[in-house]
Amino acid sequence: MKKILGAFILFLAFTFNANAQDKAFKKVDVAVEAKKNASEMADYLKLNSTEVENFFHLFEYKFNVLNENLSEERKAELARIIDLKIRATLSPAQMEKLEKNTELLKKLTH
């Protein structure tokens, strides 16, 4: 009887621990967050409407992937990929201006 009670208590402890980890992750509204990122970037770099739309789709992709509760390693890889795509799209002058605003660049890539 003691073994059954002990196993039951361990089962409950692991169940509560697993639920606590699931609740810590919050999904975001993809469209809203992507629009925020694209508009902040557009305001800072004075982008045209086509560029804004392209970056909106990039950030939409980013938030869709981030909603999957990734490991830290995969998040770092996603940030690297987003950074490379931004660098490939912007002109050198625009990228230089964006690099000066490290806070915005980090927000856009992470």
Side-chain angles (χ1 to χ4, degrees), residues 71-83:
S71 67
E72 290 302 315
E73 186 177 279
R74 291 200 51 211
K75 285 180 184 177
E77 182 63 19
L78 177 65
R80 188 183 73 77
I81 290 169
I82 298 296
D83 183 59

Side-chain angles (χ1 to χ4, degrees), residues 13-61:
F14 286 117
T15 304
F16 288 130
N17 190 22
N19 286 339
Q21 290 176 357
D22 289 342
K23 291 178 183 175
F25 177 72
K26 274 188 161 179
K27 289 189 175 189
V28 296
D29 187 352
V30 174
V32 170
E33 294 300 321
K35 186 172 174 109
K36 272 190 219 175
N37 277 3
S39 64
E40 285 180 35
M41 188 175 189
D43 292 342
Y44 186 70
L45 297 175
K46 310 295 184 224
L47 301 175
N48 65 37
S49 62
T50 305
E51 292 171 325
V52 172
E53 186 176 335
N54 290 339
F55 280 114
F56 171 77
H57 292 300
L58 175 66
F59 298 134
E60 194 175 39
Y61 166 76

Side-chain angles (χ1 to χ4, degrees), residues 48-107:
N48 65 37
S49 62
T50 305
E51 292 171 325
V52 172
E53 186 176 335
N54 290 339
F55 280 114
F56 171 77
H57 292 300
L58 175 66
F59 298 134
E60 194 175 39
Y61 166 76
K62 175 182 87 167
F63 286 110
N64 275 327
V65 173
L66 286 175
N67 271 344
E68 295 173 9
N69 196 11
L70 304 175
S71 67
E72 290 302 315
E73 186 177 279
R74 291 200 51 211
K75 285 180 184 177
E77 182 63 19
L78 177 65
R80 188 183 73 77
I81 290 169
I82 298 296
D83 183 59
L84 289 173
K85 288 184 179 194
I86 289 172
R87 290 178 188 280
T89 306
L90 295 176
S91 70
Q94 289 173 321
M95 195 60 219
E96 185 177 324
K97 184 177 180 181
L98 185 59
E99 284 175 340
K100 289 179 183 175
N101 190 345
T102 56
E103 186 178 309
L104 178 60
L105 182 60
K106 184 175 182 179
K107 182 179 181 181

